[in-house]
Amino acid sequence: MRKTSLALAVAASTLGLSQVAFADFIGDSKASLSMRNFYFDNDVKNTANNDGAAREWGQGFILNYQSGFTEGTVGFGVDAVGMLGVRLDGGGRATKTDRDRTPGALFPLESDGSAVDEFSKGGLTGKVRFSKTEARIGTLTPRLPILVSNDGRLLPQMFEGGMITSNEIDNLTLTAGQIEHAVGRASSNGTGLAVDGGRQASNKFYFGGGDWKINSDLTAQYYYANLEDYYKQHFAGLGHNLALGEGSLKTDLRYFRTTSDGKNGNAAGRAGGYSANTTFGDGTGEIDNNTWSAAFTYTLQSHALMLGYQRVSEDSNFVQLNQGSLVNDSLANEGAGGSSVYLLTDRLAHSFTRAGERTTFGQYTYDFAGLGVPGLKASVAYLKGTNIQRANGEQNKEWERDIALDYAFQDGALKGLGLGWRYGVLRGNAATDVDQNRLIVSYTLPLL
């Protein structure tokens, strides 16, 4: 049974309860309408005709409803989300030979390669609560070390599955679940699951782990994930805050160990479509990777300075879920590209996860509240990756520079309105050079 059917079953059982049981279900309900106006400009620099550039503009609407739980030892509830993306400028036609830009970053494409006028998606989530444990089944947007829902475009990525979160033990949060399908950020359609380079879908992604707050300043994490026929992944993390002078020093340590699973572990399975990226690493497409990073952030009043280092082993790229390479029976692309990874190097233009890559990075952030302008924040970041190992024996390098500026109105008629600008520059010889701009206007209207 699909998870959406189970979510409907939970919702139906909830509706069958008495009026008394419904008191908290209705009384604790929340609803909001989020609106996001998004302009995306991805200007490629070093291709033959630069027709891969993207310039698109759209308006997104996200209607969220979250119920409370029914009264009793076991409480039931249901959440719902509906999303609509409206094209304001679609950015050309992907099949046109002399095009100067290619659509598809914000919107799905029509059969002729042009962007659709609008697209929509939505989902239901049934939920059950017992004591300090909550089970959710249906539409999910997880933010875990082994799976991060991407929200970098007009509408967010969604997943379909089930997840249990328990806080029965003080200072310990335990999480476990299974994901079966994904709906991409620029898509209305669900697909199976894969990794970058994978052409065949898996429908079983299992995960589990926990966050242990050892004391008020120290948190330890461990998570395990298994994408059937692709990979098994272990994650360990440690976060620490230290008062240092008038400021504080935050330490963030992360380690991933990822190995092949099932069909990815043999040549026949990889030839059948269960391969990871073969451009970098040893070229086999078999997943075998160690990735670790260490970052230190010193915060003093309105200033924050982060310095860090990350290292990816040389046999294969670092991987997490990515459906961008999936194809249908006619070998046409059906996956919805765009994914996030739980790394501090996951930035505007690139994530610095190629085989062998050694990345040094830094970021400076300033909160203008210190100058009497609350709501205004700015940051600048620089990342340099070296020692990238190509399958043909070459070594590559790359760098990225990002600027972010955000302002949220604090009062008056425009209170809650957010303005954002993102500017990223990627250069190197590992991939296409890019200048990227994003302009975002956002507002959330509470309904309940």
Side-chain angles (χ1 to χ4, degrees):
M1 182 184 292
R2 290 287 295 271
K3 294 296 184 291
T4 47
S5 301
L6 289 172
L8 286 169
V10 173
S13 65
T14 301
L15 293 174
L17 296 172
S18 69
Q19 185 174 357
V20 175
F22 255 111
D24 291 341
F25 179 91
I26 300 297
D28 293 336
S29 292
K30 298 177 181 179
S32 64
L33 176 63
S34 297
M35 294 163 278
R36 176 186 295 175
N37 190 280
F38 199 108
Y39 175 74
F40 180 78
D41 186 324
N42 195 63
D43 189 11
V44 298
K45 294 295 184 181
N46 60 346
T47 61
N49 52 17
N50 292 337
D51 62 4
R55 285 184 290 279
E56 294 183 276
W57 182 28
Q59 176 66 50
F61 301 90
I62 304 174
L63 179 63
N64 262 306
Y65 170 76
Q66 297 174 309
S67 80
F69 288 91
T70 58
E71 294 181 354
T73 303
V74 179
F76 295 87
V78 62
D79 295 346
V81 62
M83 305 184 190
L84 173 66
V86 179
R87 177 172 62 87
L88 301 177
D89 180 7
R93 195 170 76 244
T95 55
K96 187 177 180 180
T97 56
D98 58 345
R99 67 187 184 276
D100 60 357
R101 53 181 177 166
T102 300
L106 299 188
F107 306 98
L109 300 180
E110 301 279 13
S111 58
D112 66 354
S114 62
V116 300
D117 291 334
E118 61 182 43
F119 73 108
S120 60
K121 53 188 172 182
L124 284 174
T125 306
K127 54 188 182 182
V128 181
R129 184 178 66 188
F130 174 76
S131 185
K132 297 180 181 179
T133 298
E134 183 177 322
R136 304 174 65 86
I137 191 162
T139 298
L140 304 172
T141 54
R143 299 193 65 82
L144 300 168
I146 41 74
L147 179 60
V148 181
S149 175
N150 182 279
D151 192 20
R153 295 292 187 270
L154 186 64
L155 299 177
Q157 180 186 40
M158 303 188 307
F159 293 95
E160 188 177 281
M163 184 167 69
I164 297 175
T165 304
S166 176
N167 292 287
E168 300 293 341
I169 302 173
D170 289 345
N171 300 316
L172 178 63
T173 299
L174 299 175
T175 304
Q178 177 182 331
I179 300 294
E180 295 183 350
H181 299 90
V183 181
R185 61 193 185 189
S187 176
S188 298
N189 301 322
T191 69
L193 309 171
V195 300
D196 177 34
R199 295 180 292 108
Q200 294 294 331
S202 170
N203 294 114
K204 289 184 174 61
F205 178 77
Y206 306 99
F207 62 91
D211 298 71
W212 178 28
K213 191 172 183 179
I214 301 170
N215 57 46
S216 60
D217 296 317
L218 182 63
T219 300
Q221 297 175 292
Y222 171 78
Y223 282 83
Y224 171 79
N226 174 205
L227 177 59
E228 187 175 74
D229 285 323
Y230 277 106
Y231 69 83
K232 298 175 182 176
Q233 186 169 82
H234 298 267
F235 166 80
L238 193 67
H240 182 257
N241 287 298
L242 173 68
L244 194 61
E246 297 182 0
S248 64
L249 178 67
K250 178 182 178 181
T251 300
D252 187 335
L253 307 178
R254 305 182 187 188
Y255 172 73
F256 290 89
R257 173 59 177 149
T258 313
T259 56
S260 63
D261 178 73
K263 295 178 181 179
N264 179 260
N266 60 76
R270 295 193 296 273
Y274 291 90
S275 173
N277 183 292
T278 57
T279 302
F280 300 93
D282 60 16
T284 65
E286 181 175 0
I287 298 168
D288 183 7
N289 182 266
N290 290 281
T291 295
W292 65 266
S293 67
F296 306 91
T297 304
Y298 183 67
T299 301
L300 177 63
Q301 297 176 353
S302 298
H303 308 270
L305 177 64
M306 178 180 68
L307 297 174
Y309 181 79
Q310 178 175 287
R311 186 162 181 165
V312 182
S313 62
E314 297 184 354
D315 288 335
S316 68
N317 290 354
F318 172 83
V319 298
Q320 287 190 334
L321 293 190
N322 187 327
Q323 288 63 247
S325 301
L326 287 178
V327 295
N328 58 27
D329 293 338
S330 301
L331 300 183
N333 186 279
E334 70 172 11
S339 63
S340 293
V341 293
Y342 188 70
L343 296 173
L344 292 170
T345 57
D346 190 9
R347 297 290 172 153
L348 280 180
H350 186 45
S351 57
F352 294 81
T353 54
R354 307 187 201 277
E357 192 155 18
R358 302 172 185 177
T359 306
T360 303
F361 57 95
Q363 177 173 301
Y364 171 72
T365 303
Y366 185 75
D367 186 341
F368 285 82
L371 292 179
V373 190
L376 180 61
K377 296 181 180 180
S379 68
V380 57
Y382 180 79
L383 305 89
K384 182 177 182 180
T386 61
N387 197 57
I388 299 170
Q389 304 296 314
R390 280 190 175 269
N392 62 8
E394 294 180 0
Q395 282 195 358
N396 294 155
K397 57 185 178 180
E398 56 195 357
W399 61 264
E400 180 172 344
R401 181 180 64 244
D402 296 334
I403 299 173
L405 184 64
D406 292 283
Y407 180 67
F409 288 86
Q410 303 296 296
D411 48 36
L414 297 178
K415 182 179 180 180
L417 181 69
L419 307 176
W421 173 54
R422 305 285 184 273
Y423 175 60
V425 176
L426 177 66
R427 295 290 186 271
N429 57 1
T432 303
D433 290 347
V434 166
D435 288 353
Q436 187 176 117
N437 276 282
R438 306 180 192 180
L439 297 174
I440 309 147
V441 181
S442 59
Y443 183 75
T444 297
L445 176 68
L447 302 177
L448 286 178

